[in-house]
Amino acid sequence: MVATTRLSPMECALREARAAAERGEVPVGAVIVGADGAVLAAAGNRTEADRDPTAHAELQAIRAAAAGYGAPRLVDCDLYVTLEPCPMCAQAISFARLRRLYYGAADPKGGGVEHGPRIFSQPTCHHRPEIYGGIAEQEAAELLQAFFKARR
């Protein structure tokens, strides 16, 4: 009998990020988990493959989860992503009404949550998820650093 270990949502997101890197995409992975802890969607960046600047991992996961959930709002769901979401993705997280956001590495240059425009802090933001940063931060940051170092 082989013992199986269930991956944490962030480990699943990191797996998606590694797969994205293998496809030549910026290594960002995202996972959406329902209230019962079940993974509803998992995705990695697809901007290059889809030739779509909006094909970020978070948006891919939100689209898939909403389709599977049968609703445009993911009220009791949580998002795990390896990199602080950009402003576009932060706004989509708000529109999707995700309950919690867990992210790995901070993004001082392009982030939209705790850096840049800080979307959830704006008075015009309709929904603010609970935010938890720094989850598996070192591993997420190392994936990104290795990816960009190989490109230089």
Side-chain angles (χ1 to χ4, degrees):
M1 176 183 233
V2 177
T4 58
T5 304
R6 183 173 173 230
L7 294 177
S8 74
M10 187 56 84
E11 289 169 329
C12 289
L14 286 163
R15 184 176 58 195
E16 291 293 331
R18 286 190 288 275
E22 289 173 14
R23 295 189 309 270
E25 303 278 355
V26 174
V28 177
V31 171
I32 294 182
V33 176
D36 62 356
V39 172
L40 300 176
N45 272 355
R46 294 194 49 83
T47 57
E48 298 298 327
D50 293 354
R51 294 181 178 90
D52 178 356
T54 69
H56 289 196
E58 300 95 321
L59 294 182
Q60 299 296 318
I62 288 170
R63 289 174 184 138
Y69 208 58
R73 289 173 189 79
L74 304 169
V75 175
D76 291 319
C77 300
D78 301 332
L79 171 66
Y80 292 79
V81 62
T82 58
L83 181 65
E84 175 184 353
C86 72
M88 173 183 66
C89 292
Q91 194 65 60
I93 290 164
S94 177
F95 288 154
R97 306 294 194 267
L98 285 158
R99 177 177 57 181
R100 294 185 192 107
L101 165 63
Y102 298 89
Y103 72 85
D107 189 357
K109 195 172 181 181
V113 175
E114 294 186 339
H115 297 88
R118 302 171 193 245
I119 296 298
F120 304 130
S121 299
Q122 300 304 315
T124 55
C125 184
H126 295 290
H127 170 76
R128 294 165 182 81
E130 294 175 31
I131 302 165
Y132 302 93
I135 313 298
E137 181 175 19
Q138 184 173 346
E139 188 173 354
E142 287 172 357
L143 272 171
L144 288 157
Q145 290 164 354
F147 178 82
F148 286 112
K149 184 178 181 182
R151 295 269 184 277
R152 292 183 186 122

